Amino acid sequence: MERTFFSFLCKVDDFDVQIERFWDKHEKRISEWYLAQKRSDDLIISASPRCIIEPIAKRLGVNCVASEYDREVGAFVDNLMYAREKAAYIFDQDFPEIENFYSDSLADTPLALCAEKAHLITNKARTVNDWPELDEETLKKIHEKIDSGWSVHL
């Protein structure tokens, strides 16, 4: 699904200009609650292509890790930074402990479990909730969704 969804990127001749225009228009949608507590050692970790995420990370002055995408051929060239891959990346890179983790998707449960405090973002990123306690049946459903490639949002 990700490969098909982002296939248009190879058809955008002035991609770098267009992505800057995109962030010019949408940067204001970044929630105030986040901007008020943002730190320079924050990490955005996303399944989206790095060529989309990196410009906003630079504007915010934070770090980012995202899926590698070759715009020339229109294909991902590395593992999609999705669900378990995010947690595996954190372990492989020997990151310091995660104090606070924020996500809008239960698919990020593997990474949420690595954090001291995890927060589930809802209501179009306006509401910050504690990560829900998940019973075994719910965890099983989340893992099934992750394995099938679907994102799990509330």
Side-chain angles (χ1 to χ4, degrees), residues 30-98:
I30 297 172
S31 298
E32 288 297 322
W33 64 261
Y34 170 71
L35 295 173
Q37 55 88 50
K38 176 181 70 76
R39 297 180 357 188
S40 63
D41 64 345
D42 284 353
L43 174 66
I44 297 170
I45 187 164
S46 176
S48 295
R50 185 167 56 134
C51 58
I52 293 174
I53 301 302
E54 193 169 51
I56 193 62
K58 285 182 179 179
R59 287 184 185 198
L60 292 169
V62 300
N63 304 298
C64 79
V65 173
S67 299
E68 292 297 328
Y69 186 83
D70 185 330
R71 292 189 336 241
E72 299 280 323
V73 296
F76 286 93
V77 295
D78 202 355
N79 287 341
L80 287 175
M81 196 55 62
Y82 175 72
R84 291 185 193 117
E85 291 298 323
K86 292 178 182 180
Y89 177 84
I90 294 296
F91 286 122
D92 289 347
Q93 298 301 313
D94 198 27
F95 269 81
E97 196 164 323
I98 302 169

Side-chain angles (χ1 to χ4, degrees), residues 79-133:
N79 287 341
L80 287 175
M81 196 55 62
Y82 175 72
R84 291 185 193 117
E85 291 298 323
K86 292 178 182 180
Y89 177 84
I90 294 296
F91 286 122
D92 289 347
Q93 298 301 313
D94 198 27
F95 269 81
E97 196 164 323
I98 302 169
E99 293 175 31
N100 286 287
F101 172 76
Y102 301 88
S103 179
D104 66 347
S105 175
L106 289 175
D108 287 329
T109 295
L111 197 49
L113 295 172
C114 298
E116 285 181 35
K117 184 74 176 150
H119 309 276
L120 186 64
I121 308 306
T122 58
N123 193 22
K124 297 184 180 181
R126 291 187 296 254
T127 306
V128 179
N129 309 285
D130 287 340
W131 201 266
E133 292 292 326

